[in-house]
């Protein structure tokens, strides 16, 4: 009996290691999707993020044309990485609006001057109230909203070049 008790910690350790190895080898699906896909955008009306652009409200997303809504911040490094892809989407004729998260107007303006400006409207969400209402966990994050203000697609993280066709397809499907 004493021998079994001596081997018990080793057995528990092995069981733990096997469980960890199985979890690493076959991880669960880690895709996170908003519960708002297929539902209307939450009601909001925000102040403009910069003087050079009109602000964005939920009413603006219900005017008949699908749009991309990009949550970004001037302090966000992945937002810099996705800037060329957003400019490419704009070049393809896709309208893009933005919500600047916890940012200052002068920083947003400097970001746009340095990395390009694909946005038609930019709202400021200084307290992340709209970000949280959208079910967003961070920046950057992009939503495709149809012309009735219904969220049709969500992209978490920066948009990479190989993901541009997927975003275009989601936009076209929202028409």
């Amino acid at each position: 009996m004493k021998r079994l008790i001596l081997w018990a910690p080793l057995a528990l350790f092995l069981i733990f290691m096997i469980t960890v190895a199985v979890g690493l080898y076959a991880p669960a699906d880690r895709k996170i999707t908003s519960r708002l896909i297929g539902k209307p955008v939450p009601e909001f009306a925000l102040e403009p993020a910069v003087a050079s652009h009109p602000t964005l409200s939920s009413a603006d997303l219900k005017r008949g044309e699908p749009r991309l809504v990009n949550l970004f911040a001037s302090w966000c490094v992945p937002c810099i990485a996705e800037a060329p892809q957003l400019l490419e989407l704009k070049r393809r004729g896709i309208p893009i609006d933005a919500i600047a998260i916890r940012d200052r107007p002068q920083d947003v303006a400097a970001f746009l001057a340095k990395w390009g400006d694909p946005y038609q409207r930019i709202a400021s969400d200084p307290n992340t109230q709209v970000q949280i209402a959208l079910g967003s966990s961070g920046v950057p994050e992009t939503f495709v909203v149809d012309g009735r203000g219904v969220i049709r697609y969500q992209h978490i993280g920066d948009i990479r070049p190989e993901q541009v066709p997927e975003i275009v397809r989601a936009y076209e499907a929202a028409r």
Side-chain angles (χ1 to χ4, degrees):
M1 184 63 143
K2 284 185 180 182
R3 281 184 127 180
L4 286 176
I5 293 173
L6 289 173
W7 289 100
L10 179 61
L12 289 173
F13 177 74
L14 288 174
I15 290 170
F16 173 75
M17 291 305 294
I18 290 169
T19 303
V20 169
V22 168
L24 290 173
Y25 180 71
D29 182 15
R30 301 208 189 282
K31 185 173 182 183
I32 301 168
T33 56
S34 171
R35 293 182 183 188
L36 294 180
I37 292 178
K39 296 182 182 171
V41 170
E43 293 295 320
F44 68 91
L46 296 168
E47 296 295 319
V50 289
S52 61
H53 289 70
T55 191
L56 176 67
S57 71
S58 54
D60 296 318
L61 301 173
K62 299 174 185 173
R63 295 192 175 162
E65 180 184 17
R67 312 187 70 74
L68 265 59
V69 178
N70 180 250
L71 279 62
F72 83 106
S74 65
W75 44 263
C76 163
V77 174
C79 296
I80 295 168
E82 85 170 352
Q85 286 67 251
L86 290 172
L87 291 169
E88 173 61 20
L89 289 165
K90 178 184 178 182
R91 189 192 66 73
R92 292 184 185 203
I94 297 176
I96 306 170
D97 296 321
I99 300 175
I101 306 298
R102 295 186 316 267
D103 227 328
R104 300 181 314 174
Q106 63 270 28
D107 295 334
V108 172
F111 179 92
L112 298 174
K114 185 170 186 176
W115 304 109
D117 182 1
Y119 305 120
Q120 292 182 358
R121 298 175 176 272
I122 308 175
S124 176
D125 190 9
N127 300 318
T128 67
Q129 292 174 330
V130 175
Q131 180 185 19
I132 291 168
L134 286 169
S136 168
S137 60
V139 290
E141 195 159 331
T142 304
F143 295 88
V144 174
V145 180
D146 71 15
R148 295 184 322 272
V150 176
I151 298 171
R152 296 297 175 189
Y153 179 83
Q154 173 191 29
H155 181 84
I156 297 172
D158 58 310
I159 299 170
R160 303 213 171 120
E162 65 272 12
Q163 295 166 327
V164 168
E166 179 183 344
I167 303 292
V168 171
R169 282 192 300 276
Y171 172 80
E172 292 296 329
R175 295 186 127 209

